């Protein structure tokens, strides 16, 4: 066949199934060619309004701050007050499974109530499902913003790299800071299941951002592309204790980074037992279950069944 004749060859599939391939073969005297055609709809773009700003980024248009709260309204209000010092018009979304509930008032605040004790990851799902901006910033309800909490820096990293999620650093009242950078490795184990291991560390530095690295898991303070995290989701069966599970579910989907120069403060956890109020005592019962607790056992069952892991090693 001549080049001119090839221009008039067309292909039409007769059975449509998305994300499949067909192999087309052309044969002539002494020649044979095969090529692959991918059958799919071209994905439509998902565009976000960046807003207008005198600076490089309009944080209120690009970012929503999301959190999950449970029996800690005093700390939640401190968090909101600290956010408003630096980002007075950014939307804050709160998922709340407390009882009794308290209405958190204020402009640009959305509070969503859940059944009592519905859980940590269920709350994350609810909060993130309501985000309409390109990015969301996840914070715990006992964090405190400071001049070091430069959300603009995290936005710049995601805007100028292929990362989907970038973590910052959390500073304790003692001055200790953590990024919780984790490398996750899954080794094939055959029919009986694979083996998961995690260890502190990162893969490599990010060019152009000297304080940032590529890793697999980060601390509970991160900026992420909303659409990518919604694709992964948070398993609502993980009610009380969960973190690395989200990043395990995101393997192969999320490109994760970490920057240690964007810092949020962590409210003090140091309080004598006889000074704790009823809400604080109730919170601790849910937050720190004992080893025989049903939720802790369910967490391990998920590893072994849902993820088909036969062995685990957390570094």
């Amino acid at each position: 066949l001549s080049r001119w004749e090839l221009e008039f060859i067309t292909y039409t599939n007769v059975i449509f199934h998305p994300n499949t391939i067909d192999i087309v073969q052309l044969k002539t005297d002494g020649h044979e060619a095969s090529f692959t055609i991918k059958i799919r709809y071209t994905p439509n773009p998902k565009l976000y309004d960046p807003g207008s700003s005198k600076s490089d980024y309009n944080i209120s248009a690009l970012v929503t701050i999301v959190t999950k709260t449970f029996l800690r309204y005093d700390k939640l209000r401190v968090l909101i007050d600290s956010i408003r010092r630096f980002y007075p018009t950014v939307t804050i979304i709160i998922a709340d499974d407390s009882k009794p509930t308290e209405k958190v008032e204020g402009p640009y605040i959305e509070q969503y109530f859940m059944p009592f004790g519905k859980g940590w990851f269920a709350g994350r799902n609810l909060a993130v499902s309501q985000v309409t901006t390109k990015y969301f910033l996840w914070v715990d309800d006992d964090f405190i913003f400071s001049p070091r909490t430069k959300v603009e820096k995290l936005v710049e990293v995601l805007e100028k790299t292929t990362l989907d999620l970038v973590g910052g650093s959390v500073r304790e009242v003692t001055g200790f800071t953590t990024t919780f950078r984790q490398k996750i490795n899954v080794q094939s184990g055959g029919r009986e299941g694979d083996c998961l291991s995690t260890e502190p560390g990162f893969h490599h530095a990010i060019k152009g951002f000297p304080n940032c690295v590529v890793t697999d898991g980060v601390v509970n303070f991160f900026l992420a592309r909303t659409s990518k995290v919604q694709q992964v989701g948070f398993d609502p069966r993980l009610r009380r204790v969960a973190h690395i599970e989200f990043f395990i579910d995101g393997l192969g989907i999320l490109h994760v980074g970490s920057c240690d120069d964007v810092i949020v403060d962590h409210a003090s956890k140091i309080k004598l037992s006889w000074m704790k109020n009823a809400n604080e005592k109730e919170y601790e019962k849910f937050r720190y279950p004992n080893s025989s607790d049903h939720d802790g056992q369910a967490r391990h069952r998920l590893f072994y069944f849902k993820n088909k892991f036969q062995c685990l090693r957390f570094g």
Side-chain angles (χ1 to χ4, degrees), residues 254-310:
L254 297 177
H255 191 194
V256 179
S258 172
C259 300
D260 61 15
D261 59 340
V262 180
I263 304 169
V264 70
D265 291 337
H266 199 183
S268 175
K269 294 182 178 180
I270 302 172
K271 197 168 187 179
L272 298 176
S273 59
W274 59 83
M275 297 178 64
K276 295 177 181 177
N277 60 37
N279 273 351
E280 289 171 325
K281 292 177 180 178
E282 184 73 3
Y283 170 83
E284 290 189 351
K285 284 167 53 180
F286 279 82
R287 179 62 180 86
Y288 305 108
N290 57 49
S291 58
S292 61
D293 183 83
H294 172 75
D295 287 339
Q297 296 173 6
R299 178 173 179 247
H300 286 92
R301 283 197 297 270
L302 279 178
F303 275 130
Y304 286 102
F305 178 72
K306 184 186 82 171
N307 301 115
K308 200 182 178 183
F309 293 139
Q310 63 169 313

Side-chain angles (χ1 to χ4, degrees), residues 25-307:
Q25 293 182 319
L26 291 177
K27 294 182 180 180
T28 61
D29 293 338
H31 299 282
E32 182 177 331
S34 299
F35 53 91
T36 300
I37 296 176
K38 187 172 184 180
I39 303 170
R40 69 182 180 102
Y41 283 117
T42 301
N44 292 318
K46 192 170 185 179
L47 306 179
Y48 296 88
D49 183 2
S52 58
S53 176
K54 295 180 181 179
S55 59
D56 291 336
Y57 304 111
N58 183 332
I59 298 302
S60 295
L62 287 170
V63 178
T64 300
I65 297 176
V66 296
T67 191
K68 156 75 172 60
T69 195
F70 179 68
L71 300 175
R72 298 203 294 189
Y73 289 112
D74 54 342
K75 290 181 169 58
L76 175 63
R77 290 188 170 91
V78 172
L79 165 67
I80 293 172
D81 289 344
S82 72
I83 292 172
R84 290 297 180 236
R85 288 178 55 202
F86 306 99
Y87 303 102
T89 59
V90 72
T91 297
I92 301 172
I93 293 179
I94 305 162
D96 184 353
D97 60 348
S98 306
K99 188 172 71 174
T101 59
E102 295 180 19
K103 181 63 178 173
V104 179
E105 305 285 355
Y108 308 104
I109 291 178
E110 299 176 17
Q111 185 180 15
Y112 297 92
F113 293 109
M114 308 165 63
F116 176 67
K118 182 63 177 175
W120 173 226
F121 269 21
R124 278 187 158 187
N125 271 332
L126 172 57
V128 173
S129 74
Q130 300 306 303
V131 175
T132 59
T133 51
K134 185 176 183 180
Y135 305 117
F136 72 86
L137 181 74
W138 180 267
V139 296
D140 285 353
D141 61 355
D142 60 347
F143 285 171
I144 303 170
F145 278 41
S146 78
R148 298 181 295 268
T149 316
K150 296 291 186 183
V151 180
E152 294 84 353
K153 289 186 178 181
L154 298 180
V155 169
E156 184 176 21
V157 172
L158 293 191
E159 286 285 309
K160 295 184 176 180
T161 70
T162 60
L163 293 179
D164 299 308
L165 182 153
V166 58
S169 183
V170 177
R171 180 182 181 274
E172 305 293 340
V173 292
T174 60
F176 172 77
T177 60
T178 181
T179 56
F180 195 68
R181 293 168 177 170
Q182 295 287 305
K183 293 172 64 177
I184 303 173
N185 182 47
V186 179
Q187 293 184 329
S188 177
R191 295 184 61 183
E192 296 301 318
D194 298 331
C195 287
L196 170 79
S197 64
T198 68
E199 62 177 330
F202 58 90
H203 299 292
H204 58 81
I206 300 176
K207 186 177 181 181
F209 296 94
N211 293 92
C212 304
V213 298
V214 172
T215 186
D216 297 318
V218 297
V219 74
N220 268 344
F221 171 55
F222 57 80
L223 185 77
R225 299 184 191 274
T226 303
S227 59
K228 293 292 287 192
V229 170
Q230 288 174 342
Q231 183 180 345
V232 177
F234 301 89
D235 194 322
R237 290 171 290 186
L238 297 165
R239 296 162 61 90
R240 301 196 202 179
V241 180
H243 179 67
I244 197 66
E245 291 83 354
F246 163 67
F247 294 101
I248 293 170
D249 286 343
L251 288 176
I253 302 173
L254 297 177
H255 191 194
V256 179
S258 172
C259 300
D260 61 15
D261 59 340
V262 180
I263 304 169
V264 70
D265 291 337
H266 199 183
S268 175
K269 294 182 178 180
I270 302 172
K271 197 168 187 179
L272 298 176
S273 59
W274 59 83
M275 297 178 64
K276 295 177 181 177
N277 60 37
N279 273 351
E280 289 171 325
K281 292 177 180 178
E282 184 73 3
Y283 170 83
E284 290 189 351
K285 284 167 53 180
F286 279 82
R287 179 62 180 86
Y288 305 108
N290 57 49
S291 58
S292 61
D293 183 83
H294 172 75
D295 287 339
Q297 296 173 6
R299 178 173 179 247
H300 286 92
R301 283 197 297 270
L302 279 178
F303 275 130
Y304 286 102
F305 178 72
K306 184 186 82 171
N307 301 115

